[in-house]
């Protein structure tokens, strides 16, 4: 019975790890005149580490494609402090041609990045300010999940369809379950020795 409890405890711990994400609602249309912004308070970065993945979801204004000199989409992340210093060294996204923001594809709906230590220290004190062009900010999600261990892929149909509505959630659950069972097996093996 103790072995069974150990396996269940390990599985519960792995499940808790796989859901360690937090979200902050942004709900701000930044328009296209660089006149709007959104601030995110410092406490939202309290549990963020340099290993955390920050994802900002947004909607793009496709109508800008037909407007001369307005047919671009970008986001500018800044420290919410005097002068709003631009965070130009986020890990993941590409800087725009002018190096003063991060370029976005009109077909995209999110940008993910990691925050370098020095910038993160400032954000944990002052928070973040965001400006942009041609986007409506929806939500910021922070995930502190450890990277999943690779698992053998046995699926044959990679394209979601009515017959295979794979949202990706099931795959994460399978990997977390497999990791939990492996951890449980290790605990049982160690107790036998």
């Amino acid at each position: 019975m103790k072995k069974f409890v150990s396996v269940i405890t390990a599985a519960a711990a792995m499940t808790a790890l796989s859901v360690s994400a937090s979200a902050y609602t942004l709900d701000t249309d930044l328009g296209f005149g660089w006149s709007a912004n959104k601030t995110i308070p410092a406490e939202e970065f309290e549990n963020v580490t340099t290993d955390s993945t920050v994802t900002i979801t947004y909607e793009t204004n496709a109508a800008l494609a037909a407007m001369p000199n307005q047919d671009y989409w970008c986001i500018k992340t800044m420290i919410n402090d005097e002068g709003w210093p631009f965070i130009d060294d986020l890990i993941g996204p590409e800087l725009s041609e002018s190096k003063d923001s991060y370029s976005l594809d009109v077909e995209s709906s999110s940008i993910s990045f990691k925050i370098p230590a020095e910038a993160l220290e400032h954000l944990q004190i002052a928070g973040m300010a965001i400006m942009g062009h041609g986007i409506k900010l929806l939500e910021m999600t922070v995930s502190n999940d450890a990277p999943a261990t690779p698992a053998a892929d046995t699926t044959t149909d990679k394209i979601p369809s009515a017959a295979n509505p794979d949202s990706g959630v099931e795959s994460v659950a399978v990997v977390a379950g497999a990791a939990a069972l492996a951890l449980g097996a290790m605990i049982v093996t160690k107790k036998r020795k």
Side-chain angles (χ1 to χ4, degrees):
M1 183 66 166
K2 283 185 180 180
K3 293 176 190 173
F4 183 68
V5 172
S6 295
V7 171
I8 290 177
T9 305
M14 288 302 293
T15 302
L17 275 177
S18 67
V19 220
S20 63
S22 62
Y24 181 75
T25 302
L26 299 170
D27 193 27
T28 304
D29 191 344
L30 297 177
F32 57 93
W34 292 98
S35 59
N37 65 74
K38 176 67 177 180
T39 56
I40 303 169
E43 51 267 18
E44 294 301 319
F45 296 93
E46 192 172 75
N47 297 318
V48 176
T49 70
T50 54
D51 292 324
S52 301
T53 300
V54 178
T55 300
I56 295 178
T57 57
Y58 55 83
E59 293 174 355
T60 54
N61 181 351
L64 295 184
M67 299 174 70
N69 302 318
Q70 301 296 332
D71 58 341
Y72 65 97
W73 299 266
C74 63
I75 190 168
K76 185 170 187 169
T77 52
M78 303 165 289
I79 296 166
N80 189 29
D81 204 353
E82 188 177 344
W84 276 0
F86 174 46
I87 307 168
D88 63 356
D89 57 352
L90 294 178
I91 302 161
E94 288 188 34
L95 286 170
S96 63
E97 193 175 306
S98 59
K99 309 286 188 217
D100 61 354
S101 62
Y102 294 96
S103 297
L104 302 172
D105 184 335
V106 67
E107 301 296 327
S108 296
S109 61
S110 69
I111 182 173
S112 294
F113 52 86
K114 293 186 182 217
I115 305 170
E118 187 178 341
L120 183 57
E121 285 178 32
H122 291 293
L123 293 175
Q124 289 173 332
I125 295 168
M128 179 185 278
I130 301 177
M131 292 183 79
H133 182 84
I135 60 172
K136 177 182 179 181
L137 300 172
L138 301 177
E139 185 177 68
M140 178 182 82
T141 304
V142 177
S143 173
N144 292 315
D145 287 351
T149 53
D153 188 358
T154 57
T155 59
T156 55
D157 183 7
K158 298 291 183 194
I159 301 170
S161 65
N164 181 24
D166 184 9
S167 64
V169 174
E170 299 86 351
S171 300
V172 171
V174 169
V175 170
L181 289 175
L183 183 60
M186 286 174 31
I187 291 170
V188 169
T189 303
K190 286 186 178 181
K191 285 195 173 200
R192 283 186 181 168
K193 291 180 178 180

